[in-house]
Amino acid sequence: MSGSLTDAAMFNGKPLPWVRDKVAVGAQSKLQAVYRDVVILDALNQRVTAYNLTNNNLGDPIKMAELRSLLVTQATLIDADHDALPDQWETQHFGNRSATAETLTRSGLSTLVCFATGLSPNSTTNTSPLALELGTAENTSRVSFFQRQRLGKVLGIQTQTRFSSDLQTWSDLLPAGAVLTRQNPYDGTGTEIITVTSPREERRFVKLHVTAPQ
Amino acid sequence: MRPRFPFLQLSCGLAAAAVSLGSAEPVADFVLPDVNPASVRTAAGLPSISPRNYTETISAWYFGAET
């Protein structure tokens, strides 16, 4: 790479993070990288492999496909026991794959809900995966609901907030005037935060609905 | 002259990860400032970057250099 990282033209307008290593930090050696390596880390931050861009010119469509395949392979979840829970996640938290989606965790939530919302199934202090906040904007009382859901496509699991005014009929359509926003907090949970903010109504019920393919 | 190892995170957070093929231990931890003002992380109010921000997802780190 020529030029200097202080040259803003190299990164301005591009959404990717850029960082500059320091001798005192030694990120390059910690990731066992050599010049022009792409180092791939898995969900547990274990080093999977490195793909060197000097040896593999990404101008070659075959090399580009090769790198893409490495990334996609790592990002593809494996669920050998077909219980809607990724094997890696089960092993990480339970030491084996004996849990099922319906297994209740120590906090009383199902294992599936814990996985879908980024909560630890071993925590006894998990709060509700659906949170509420009241506020005011433009002189109007507003209510915001927060939920988390997994980034990317994860075994077809769907996480939705559903709304009702009578506890009889539920809808996943946003209430009138509601605004939905997404934010990746980059907090190592693999989830994004979904916020639905709407004008406050006299009565509204919400629930989190998590489903997995049969 | 081949520089002092600055690096760029090429992409991240593609999805959750598959079973690891890597070593048994997580990589050593580190934190460095994100110098790109246009970074998606800047909008999230996160001035620094660490592998720990990307656990539960895969991440790819590209190591270039400045001259």
Side-chain angles (χ1 to χ4, degrees):
Chain A
M1 183 182 300
S2 61
S4 165
L5 285 181
T6 56
D7 180 359
M10 293 181 69
F11 53 77
N12 268 353
K14 300 181 177 71
L16 295 174
W18 285 70
V19 286
R20 175 177 289 176
D21 200 2
K22 299 173 183 174
V23 173
V25 175
Q28 183 173 11
S29 66
K30 286 176 176 174
L31 291 186
Q32 304 162 44
V34 300
Y35 178 56
R36 302 206 72 202
D37 260 355
V38 176
V39 179
I40 300 173
L41 305 183
D42 71 6
L44 300 178
N45 279 350
Q46 294 174 12
R47 186 183 190 277
V48 177
T49 190
Y51 193 81
N52 189 272
L53 298 191
T54 297
N55 301 331
N56 301 285
N57 181 357
L58 294 186
D60 179 345
I62 294 174
K63 298 298 183 184
M64 178 67 91
E66 202 170 72
L67 175 57
R68 183 177 186 281
S69 175
L70 277 174
L71 293 168
V72 170
T73 297
Q74 278 305 305
T76 302
L77 295 167
I78 297 172
D79 178 21
D81 53 354
H82 305 291
D83 60 1
L85 302 172
D87 296 350
Q88 171 270 321
W89 187 85
E90 281 186 83
T91 305
Q92 176 189 346
H93 290 285
F94 300 108
N96 56 52
R97 298 187 313 202
S98 62
T100 68
E102 294 79 23
T103 302
L104 288 183
T105 65
R106 297 168 70 186
S107 60
L109 298 169
S110 75
T111 306
L112 178 63
V113 168
C114 284
F115 170 70
T117 59
L119 295 172
S120 168
N122 293 315
S123 171
T124 56
T125 58
N126 281 336
T127 54
S128 168
L130 187 61
L132 164 73
E133 183 178 282
L134 300 175
T136 303
E138 298 173 351
N139 296 322
T140 305
S141 292
R142 294 182 183 273
V143 59
S144 297
F145 300 100
F146 305 88
Q147 65 155 94
R148 284 178 179 258
Q149 67 181 32
R150 287 273 160 186
L151 292 160
K153 297 176 181 175
V154 282
L155 302 175
I157 293 172
Q158 304 246 347
T159 308
Q160 291 178 315
T161 303
R162 291 190 166 173
F163 304 91
S164 173
S165 59
D166 57 9
L167 285 176
Q168 302 293 319
T169 306
W170 293 89
S171 171
D172 54 16
L173 296 177
L174 295 182
V179 176
L180 184 149
T181 58
R182 299 170 182 271
Q183 182 196 8
N184 185 341
Y186 299 102
D187 60 0
T189 63
T191 61
E192 60 181 345
I193 300 171
I194 308 294
T195 304
V196 176
T197 300
S198 64
R200 195 170 170 182
E201 295 177 346
E202 183 177 340
R203 184 173 62 186
R204 177 178 297 150
F205 303 97
V206 296
K207 68 177 178 182
L208 190 64
H209 191 70
V210 180
T211 55
Q214 295 298 313
Chain B
M1 171 176 130
R2 193 139 306 152
R4 295 275 241 179
F5 22 90
F7 69 91
L8 152 72
Q9 184 189 357
L10 184 64
S11 63
C12 60
L14 298 177
V19 172
S20 171
L21 302 174
S23 61
E25 296 297 324
V27 297
D29 202 9
F30 60 83
V31 181
L32 286 165
D34 184 352
V35 300
N36 182 3
S39 166
V40 290
R41 298 172 53 82
T42 304
L46 301 166
S48 59
I49 187 168
S50 166
R52 84 179 75 132
N53 299 129
Y54 297 96
T55 47
E56 297 278 344
T57 62
I58 69 162
S59 59
W61 304 74
Y62 173 67
F63 286 77
E66 67 181 329
T67 57

